[in-house]
Amino acid sequence: MLKANDHLTCFCYPCATFEKQKKIMIKLQNVSLQLGTKFLLDQASLEVYPQHKVAIIGPNGCGKTSLFGLLTGKLQADAGEWQMPKDWRIVSVEQQILDTQRTAIDYVIDGDRHLRSLEARLAEAEKEEDGNKLGLLHDALEQAGAYDVKPRAATILNGLGFTQDKHTELVSSFSGGWQMRLNLARALLCPSDLLLLDEPTNHLDLDAVLWLENWLQDYAGTLLLISHDQAFIDSIAKQIVSFEQQKLISYSGGYSDYEKQKAMRLSLAASEFEKQQKKRAHLESFINRFKAKASKAKQAQSRVKQLEKMQELMPVRQSNPFNFEFFEPEKLPNPLVVMDDIKVGYGELVILADVKLNLVPGSRIGLLGRNGAGKSTFIKLLAEELAPLSGKYLPSAGLKIGYFAQHQVDSLDMQASPLLHLQRLDKGATEQTLRNYLGGFGFHGDNALDPVAPMSGGEKARLVLAILVYQKPNLLLLDEPTNHLDIEVRQALNFALQTYQGAIVLVSHDRSLLESVCDDFYLVDSAQVAPFSGNLDDYKKWMLQGAKKLSGQSSQSNVDNNNAGQSSQLPVDNANSSETAADRKLQKRLEAEFRQAIKPLKIKLSASEQKMADLNKGLSDCETKMSNPEIYNDENKAELKQLLQTQGDLKSELEEVEMEWMEVVEQIEAKEQAFNQSLNKQIGNS
């Protein structure tokens, strides 16, 4: 059985040629792996071929990280055999910071130990004035990539969100999350034949995730990736390895292909599938209603596709152990929050200015923007953790906020149990009621009574989510809610959000969640919060163009957008814009006039949305009464007849209001398109 202890050091550059190794692979045969009394693998087998990109999936605690430990020699199998090419260079992300007094860029380059060793030997040879040795070492350094290592390291740092001025700061000056980014940068810079990445997106924002995705698509070696980000897996992996009942089951393709293959298999289990028909019907109803109202906006169409995909894949998700939904809010005031000409920041430092946004029930907004642009600042403003420096901020008297962010996880009582956390919220609830509720979030049996302190990051995040849902908020503020959550919890959260009746503002690097939950995207950029007309593909193009400019590469200043009438709404890089101060002044004046001109339509739209919410509530109340078996008794015939009549009237009225809503949306879109064309013409002629 091959030992992998010697595979952790990088030996040469560039990556080895794989032509001689086409038939050599990572191969596990009947491997058993046990930690304590728990079997992680039981006679499991697996084959991974060179240059394949493989995603390892499974619930937290199933053994994914232990599999990496086996491959790197940190763990030994209890039974079976495994092998891989003996000369492969294995690189993984270190979990500790080794030298906090190095600059960021030097620390990243230090990860290539072979290169640093050659540099040290060169310094010795220069002292000895050994010409022959100097020549050999210069050749070796050239082969190791020493003469372009700084630009390569800088490109990786830029991609992971480090601005140029941060490259020369000491490692000790960065927070823990940013230090983990430095360790990821070390792994990416170091030449490797096998790259092991365990949850690499956990400490990244969306921009860094998109950059990493592009980098890994071009990676020439073999990649084993542990991730719970479905979109990230889909864009990279060509093979899925799933932990299932202590076995390793391989599926071809990406995560979407895995779900389809597994759904096909599970759909044969008809008896289990029947248990989920209520959920299916609920989701189908929501999809059909949303499709009827969806405008032609690209992000709306993306959401329809995501919802249809959720519907198609119900069989694979029916066995999800996590099952919860948001309670109906006790109040749904309209609007929930009014903001006008808001400035927000810290002391004299203004982060965002001229913020104008009304949040109403049903708003589903995804915030986009580079790291540090102000997304979390905007969330804190809404959460009332930051007071506006100026402007009008009017929360409704009935506003009830549900705020999910990392510091909520840190603020849990570490000595209290999940049950005690809920008992403090609701002293009148019975213990069994609360235990049943916690079961939907994965806290079963004694787990509901265990203290929080030893729990994993994922368990703590689930508890915060359970506490948030229990309080029936009407405004959800979700700042990276999927960090530390595995795929099954993310899917349960996604499903629950579909029928949530309040407003949602979401910051996330999980594109599957953004696309299926959000109706609108807002870009936080250049101290502004403004609607983003494109979808996430457009945002990726815009973001990557900015990254290319940062790396000194030439690119167009505008996002390529084939959708006529929308390109002017997409962000333009200010550094390369030829727009003059006069142009900007003219544009702001025209935009203000346009907003005033369509204000009556916006008011009409808001009124229609409120009326639809009222009608839906009436319809729901009516159908709840009709679900009572006693209503069908002979003595209740008159009441049943009245309910049927009311149900028909409400459905008819709801259909009319939805048609009115669509007409107003189309009028607004037509006016926006005409305005954008006129604006481009006037700016061009000024």
Side-chain angles (χ1 to χ4, degrees), residues 545-569:
Q545 283 183 336
K548 287 179 181 178
K549 291 166 188 170
L550 193 58
S551 301
Q553 300 178 28
S554 62
S555 63
Q556 294 177 334
S557 61
N558 293 327
V559 174
D560 178 22
N561 191 325
N562 294 324
N563 193 355
Q566 290 190 349
S567 60
S568 64
Q569 298 177 37

Side-chain angles (χ1 to χ4, degrees), residues 220-423:
T222 303
L223 172 67
L224 295 186
L225 168 70
I226 296 172
S227 178
H228 297 300
D229 187 328
Q230 299 172 43
F232 187 67
I233 293 173
D234 251 344
S235 68
I236 296 165
K238 302 301 179 187
Q239 178 183 351
I240 302 293
V241 173
S242 174
F243 274 72
E244 299 178 15
Q245 298 178 329
Q246 292 85 48
K247 304 293 185 186
L248 297 173
I249 310 300
S250 287
Y251 298 83
S252 60
Y255 191 86
S256 296
D257 300 303
Y258 150 78
E259 286 192 309
K260 290 175 183 176
Q261 292 169 46
K262 195 167 183 181
M264 190 178 298
R265 191 177 75 203
L266 292 177
S267 65
L268 300 177
S271 60
E272 287 297 316
F273 182 67
E274 287 299 320
K275 295 177 183 178
Q276 298 298 321
Q277 287 308 295
K278 185 177 179 180
K279 275 190 175 182
R280 174 188 283 274
H282 197 180
L283 187 56
E284 283 176 344
S285 172
F286 180 80
I287 292 167
N288 292 335
R289 179 167 296 170
F290 184 81
K291 285 174 69 175
K293 297 189 293 183
S295 68
K296 298 176 184 178
K298 296 172 74 175
Q299 61 266 42
Q301 295 304 315
S302 295
R303 183 159 185 240
V304 169
K305 292 176 183 176
Q306 285 289 324
L307 292 171
E308 288 175 336
K309 180 181 175 182
M310 287 179 67
Q311 178 186 16
E312 175 188 351
L313 297 171
M314 280 294 291
V316 76
R317 297 176 181 179
Q318 65 183 10
S319 58
N320 194 331
F322 304 101
N323 180 22
F324 57 88
E325 61 184 30
F326 284 90
F327 302 121
E328 181 178 345
E330 294 172 351
K331 295 180 181 179
L332 277 174
N334 189 0
L336 292 163
V337 178
V338 174
M339 291 173 280
D340 191 22
D341 291 327
I342 292 286
K343 283 186 181 179
V344 62
Y346 306 89
E348 295 182 358
L349 177 62
V350 175
I351 304 297
L352 299 172
D354 302 323
V355 177
K356 299 177 183 178
L357 182 64
N358 289 353
L359 286 175
V360 299
S363 297
R364 311 171 77 86
I365 293 172
L367 294 183
L368 307 176
R370 295 188 174 96
N371 183 67
K375 300 187 297 295
S376 292
T377 299
F378 184 64
I379 290 277
K380 288 177 181 177
L381 169 69
L382 291 172
E384 300 180 346
E385 288 193 356
L386 272 179
L389 301 175
S390 64
K392 183 173 71 173
Y393 184 89
L394 299 175
S396 166
L399 180 66
K400 192 169 186 180
I401 295 170
Y403 181 25
F404 186 104
Q406 186 58 43
H407 68 269
Q408 265 80 27
V409 175
D410 298 334
S411 66
L412 290 169
D413 182 345
M414 295 297 152
Q415 303 311 312
S417 67
L419 179 62
L420 182 54
H421 276 88
L422 287 186
Q423 286 175 330

Side-chain angles (χ1 to χ4, degrees), residues 111 134 159 215 241 244 279 304 319 496 535 564 619 632 672 679 685:
L134 284 169
W215 193 96
V241 173
E244 299 178 15
K279 275 190 175 182
V304 169
S319 58
N535 57 22
L619 193 59
Y632 298 95
E672 285 177 344
L679 179 64
N685 294 334

Side-chain angles (χ1 to χ4, degrees), residues 655-672:
E655 187 175 344
E656 291 178 7
V657 176
E658 286 178 343
M659 290 301 296
E660 291 174 5
W661 183 91
M662 284 184 64
E663 289 174 4
V664 176
V665 168
E666 289 175 356
Q667 288 177 45
I668 291 174
E669 287 184 346
K671 288 181 179 296
E672 285 177 344

Side-chain angles (χ1 to χ4, degrees), residues 585-596:
K585 188 174 181 181
L586 172 62
Q587 181 174 345
K588 283 190 174 183
R589 179 177 63 79
L590 293 173
E591 286 174 346
E593 292 173 356
F594 175 71
R595 283 194 298 270
Q596 193 63 30

Side-chain angles (χ1 to χ4, degrees), residues 19-311:
E19 290 300 319
K20 297 179 182 179
Q21 299 181 356
K22 283 184 177 178
K23 296 184 179 180
I24 303 175
M25 65 183 82
I26 300 172
K27 188 171 184 178
L28 281 69
Q29 289 184 297
N30 299 321
V31 167
S32 295
L33 182 62
Q34 186 175 358
L35 285 183
T37 59
K38 182 179 181 181
F39 267 97
L40 301 177
L41 296 175
D42 185 13
Q43 296 187 339
S45 298
L46 174 67
E47 292 183 354
V48 175
Y49 288 87
Q51 295 178 288
H52 276 207
K53 294 181 171 67
V54 182
I56 314 293
I57 66 171
N60 287 334
C62 69
K64 301 185 295 294
T65 300
S66 297
L67 176 61
F68 278 13
L70 180 66
L71 296 177
T72 57
K74 294 177 181 177
L75 296 176
Q76 297 297 319
D78 296 289
E81 297 183 351
W82 69 275
Q83 64 182 31
M84 70 168 63
K86 293 182 179 180
D87 57 350
W88 268 16
R89 300 155 300 175
I90 305 175
V91 171
S92 59
V93 179
E94 295 157 343
Q95 297 304 305
Q96 296 179 337
I97 291 292
L98 304 179
D99 187 351
T100 61
Q101 297 310 302
R102 298 284 283 170
T103 65
I105 194 163
D106 285 336
Y107 178 79
V108 170
I109 296 171
D110 289 345
D112 192 341
R113 296 168 189 169
H114 173 59
L115 187 150
R116 287 304 200 202
S117 173
L118 289 174
E119 289 178 340
R121 289 165 58 190
L122 179 67
E124 291 176 6
E126 287 173 342
K127 290 179 183 177
E128 297 169 2
E129 298 183 352
D130 186 333
N132 185 51
K133 189 184 288 187
L134 284 169
L136 292 173
L137 285 168
H138 276 294
D139 287 342
L141 281 164
E142 184 175 1
Q143 290 297 314
Y147 302 120
D148 67 349
V149 70
K150 279 204 170 183
R152 287 189 288 116
T155 297
I156 292 172
L157 286 170
N158 289 339
L160 293 178
F162 293 87
T163 54
Q164 203 71 30
D165 59 307
K166 299 292 183 183
H167 294 191
T168 53
E169 290 190 9
L170 294 181
V171 173
S172 59
S173 68
F174 295 100
S175 66
W178 284 93
Q179 288 181 351
M180 288 307 300
R181 292 196 193 201
L182 289 174
N183 277 349
L184 175 59
R186 280 168 70 105
L188 300 183
L189 182 71
C190 190
S192 59
D193 299 297
L194 174 62
L195 181 59
L196 306 176
L197 295 181
D198 190 347
E199 290 289 357
T201 64
N202 258 1
H203 299 282
L204 305 182
D205 56 17
L206 179 59
D207 287 23
V209 169
L210 294 172
W211 178 89
L212 179 61
E213 178 182 293
N214 265 31
W215 193 96
L216 291 175
Q217 286 169 350
D218 294 333
Y219 173 64
T222 303
L223 172 67
L224 295 186
L225 168 70
I226 296 172
S227 178
H228 297 300
D229 187 328
Q230 299 172 43
F232 187 67
I233 293 173
D234 251 344
S235 68
I236 296 165
K238 302 301 179 187
Q239 178 183 351
I240 302 293
V241 173
S242 174
F243 274 72
E244 299 178 15
Q245 298 178 329
Q246 292 85 48
K247 304 293 185 186
L248 297 173
I249 310 300
S250 287
Y251 298 83
S252 60
Y255 191 86
S256 296
D257 300 303
Y258 150 78
E259 286 192 309
K260 290 175 183 176
Q261 292 169 46
K262 195 167 183 181
M264 190 178 298
R265 191 177 75 203
L266 292 177
S267 65
L268 300 177
S271 60
E272 287 297 316
F273 182 67
E274 287 299 320
K275 295 177 183 178
Q276 298 298 321
Q277 287 308 295
K278 185 177 179 180
K279 275 190 175 182
R280 174 188 283 274
H282 197 180
L283 187 56
E284 283 176 344
S285 172
F286 180 80
I287 292 167
N288 292 335
R289 179 167 296 170
F290 184 81
K291 285 174 69 175
K293 297 189 293 183
S295 68
K296 298 176 184 178
K298 296 172 74 175
Q299 61 266 42
Q301 295 304 315
S302 295
R303 183 159 185 240
V304 169
K305 292 176 183 176
Q306 285 289 324
L307 292 171
E308 288 175 336
K309 180 181 175 182
M310 287 179 67
Q311 178 186 16

Side-chain angles (χ1 to χ4, degrees), residues 483-537:
N483 279 356
H484 306 296
L485 298 183
D486 62 23
I487 286 178
E488 290 175 319
V489 186
R490 293 183 187 208
Q491 290 174 344
L493 174 61
N494 195 332
F495 191 95
L497 288 172
Q498 299 309 322
T499 52
Y500 174 66
Q501 296 180 28
I504 300 171
V505 179
L506 171 64
V507 175
S508 179
H509 62 257
D510 187 325
R511 278 160 293 163
S512 297
L513 189 67
L514 283 168
E515 286 181 328
S516 60
V517 169
C518 300
D519 295 340
D520 301 291
F521 293 120
Y522 276 67
L523 181 68
V524 183
D525 186 57
S526 302
Q528 303 291 311
V529 181
F532 184 81
S533 64
N535 57 22
L536 291 182
D537 289 334

